[in-house]
Amino acid sequence: MTLITLVLLGVVIFLAHREILKAWDLIGQINLWVLAILIPVQFFSYYATGGMIFNYLRSKGDLKDVSHWRMTRIALELNFVNHVLPSGGAAGFSYLGWLLSKYKVSVSRTTMAQIIRFALTFVSFVLLLMVAVGILILDHRIDRVILLLCVGLATVAIGATVGGILVIGSKKRLDAFSGWLTRLVNTIVRKITRGRKKKILNDTLLFNFFNDLHEDYMAIRRDRRILIRPFIWAVLANIADVALIWIAFWSLGFMINPALLFVAFGLASLAGGASVTPGGAGVYETIMIAFLASGHVSAEVAIAGTLIARVTLVLGTILFGYLFYQLTVNKYGKRTP
């Protein structure tokens, strides 16, 4: 899949080489003072992401002695892990479960916090998407393709949320799923090790994990108010993420309609999340540029603004994320005798 992605990117670069050269000329006129605004906005994005997880866990009595700054740093580490280990978010789930276990938070509760983070991000995204579509209609900048893409985005977001609720909300379905997953993992390990390891998961490990997950979900259903603050943080996180891209275009001297950027961001993030390249590199940019170009943004402007945003933000995530990640690994990663 990575090779196919690279080949397709090569074709795109070949076909758009003239626009890329024009984009390079545009990058030369960048306003560094405006671009510097990305730093505090990116920090706030991680602060909001940490707020989603932090507020839920606080409401359950966990992390009482952990500051919001520490959760912001953890959110940055989480994003770093998901960037360097493209796995659709699975690497982040594992890393956060391991890290917060050092703060006496159960893995099942940490998993529920991340499920809530994704669910609220999806729900708030759909609400903001409806606002963006309304703005585009008023601005006479929407056509059938954009409308269909918006409907598709909303369907995927709502479908993923509802699907997760259907599984977690049913004790019977969770028990069946845990049994199936246990058998699947043990079968794969047995084949890989050629029978040397008969069983890596016992029959109760995943059962107990999913049982705790179900109990947390039922507690949320009894008191939905604990989701109010995480939902507010989810809205702010979505707005901050789109604002980062808007600032990159602003630094070039172009004011792009934020509603158009919001739809492009959603499509690119969805495609990038499913990509096997680190951080969705290549796939994210291609989708973003193609959509903006279809929305009457000139190709060279779309290329220049997208690349400036991505390079700046990914470098910030990897450099600072790696620093904090390494400090955490050095502190907690040593095996006990």
Side-chain angles (χ1 to χ4, degrees), residues 182-254:
T182 299
R183 292 190 298 272
L184 177 65
V185 171
N186 287 333
T187 300
I188 292 173
V189 171
R190 188 164 55 249
K191 289 183 177 180
I192 291 174
T193 61
R194 297 181 180 180
R196 290 194 298 272
K197 286 189 176 183
K198 300 292 185 183
K199 184 183 289 188
I200 194 171
L201 292 178
N202 61 48
D203 296 330
T204 60
L205 181 64
L206 288 181
F207 176 83
N208 293 334
F209 168 77
F210 284 119
N211 186 59
D212 292 342
L213 205 64
H214 176 72
E215 289 179 1
D216 275 353
Y217 170 75
M218 297 307 293
I220 292 171
R221 287 191 60 177
R222 289 191 293 269
D223 184 14
R224 295 183 177 88
R225 291 175 299 176
I226 63 176
L227 296 181
I228 294 176
R229 287 187 178 181
F231 177 77
I232 294 172
W233 283 118
V235 173
L236 294 175
N238 274 316
I239 293 173
D241 286 340
V242 176
L244 290 167
I245 305 170
W246 186 84
I247 291 168
F249 280 94
W250 178 26
S251 69
L252 289 172
F254 297 95

Side-chain angles (χ1 to χ4, degrees), residues 8-317:
L8 290 175
L9 286 175
V11 173
V12 170
I13 292 171
F14 176 76
L15 294 176
H17 66 279
R18 291 181 180 178
E19 285 76 14
I20 292 173
L21 291 174
K22 293 178 183 177
W24 182 255
D25 292 334
L26 284 176
I27 291 174
Q29 66 186 40
I30 190 170
N31 187 326
L32 294 178
W33 289 107
V34 174
L35 189 65
I37 301 174
L38 283 175
I39 298 173
V41 177
Q42 187 176 26
F43 173 80
F44 178 77
S45 174
Y46 291 123
Y47 190 85
T49 300
M52 281 185 270
I53 301 171
F54 183 75
N55 275 276
Y56 170 72
L57 293 176
R58 272 283 184 90
S59 70
K60 307 301 290 185
D62 296 313
L63 303 181
K64 292 294 186 182
D65 299 325
V66 178
S67 66
H68 204 131
W69 153 246
R70 176 58 179 156
M71 281 305 302
T72 303
R73 170 180 158 176
I74 290 173
L76 178 54
E77 294 176 38
L78 182 65
N79 206 27
F80 164 76
V81 169
N82 283 327
H83 266 76
V84 297
L85 296 173
S87 58
F93 270 80
S94 300
Y95 178 75
L96 192 63
W98 167 77
L99 178 54
L100 292 188
S101 68
K102 310 302 179 183
Y103 294 91
K104 311 301 181 184
V105 182
S106 68
V107 175
S108 59
R109 181 157 292 169
T110 302
T111 302
M112 176 56 76
Q114 294 204 73
I115 290 173
I116 287 172
R117 171 200 165 196
F118 281 108
L120 293 182
T121 300
F122 284 156
V123 172
S124 61
F125 176 82
V126 171
L127 294 176
L128 291 171
L129 183 65
M130 293 170 63
V131 175
V133 170
I135 293 172
L136 289 175
I137 291 173
L138 292 174
D139 200 28
H140 303 290
R141 297 190 63 179
I142 194 166
D143 53 29
R144 290 182 180 180
V145 175
I146 294 178
L147 191 58
L148 285 173
L149 290 173
C150 291
V151 171
L153 266 177
T155 302
V156 171
I158 294 172
T161 304
V162 172
I165 290 173
L166 287 175
V167 174
I168 297 173
S170 170
K171 185 72 166 60
K172 184 178 180 180
R173 280 192 287 267
L174 270 181
D175 289 346
F177 180 71
S178 64
W180 172 81
L181 189 58
T182 299
R183 292 190 298 272
L184 177 65
V185 171
N186 287 333
T187 300
I188 292 173
V189 171
R190 188 164 55 249
K191 289 183 177 180
I192 291 174
T193 61
R194 297 181 180 180
R196 290 194 298 272
K197 286 189 176 183
K198 300 292 185 183
K199 184 183 289 188
I200 194 171
L201 292 178
N202 61 48
D203 296 330
T204 60
L205 181 64
L206 288 181
F207 176 83
N208 293 334
F209 168 77
F210 284 119
N211 186 59
D212 292 342
L213 205 64
H214 176 72
E215 289 179 1
D216 275 353
Y217 170 75
M218 297 307 293
I220 292 171
R221 287 191 60 177
R222 289 191 293 269
D223 184 14
R224 295 183 177 88
R225 291 175 299 176
I226 63 176
L227 296 181
I228 294 176
R229 287 187 178 181
F231 177 77
I232 294 172
W233 283 118
V235 173
L236 294 175
N238 274 316
I239 293 173
D241 286 340
V242 176
L244 290 167
I245 305 170
W246 186 84
I247 291 168
F249 280 94
W250 178 26
S251 69
L252 289 172
F254 297 95
M255 299 293 188
I256 306 298
N257 190 326
L260 191 66
L261 285 178
F262 192 86
V263 180
F265 166 77
L267 287 170
S269 297
L270 187 64
S275 170
V276 294
T277 57
V283 178
Y284 181 103
E285 292 82 4
T286 302
I287 298 296
M288 174 75 76
I289 292 167
F291 181 81
L292 290 177
S294 69
H296 309 296
V297 177
S298 62
E300 60 269 23
V301 172
I303 292 170
T306 300
L307 292 183
I308 287 172
R310 284 288 282 172
V311 170
T312 306
L313 298 176
V314 170
L315 279 178
T317 296

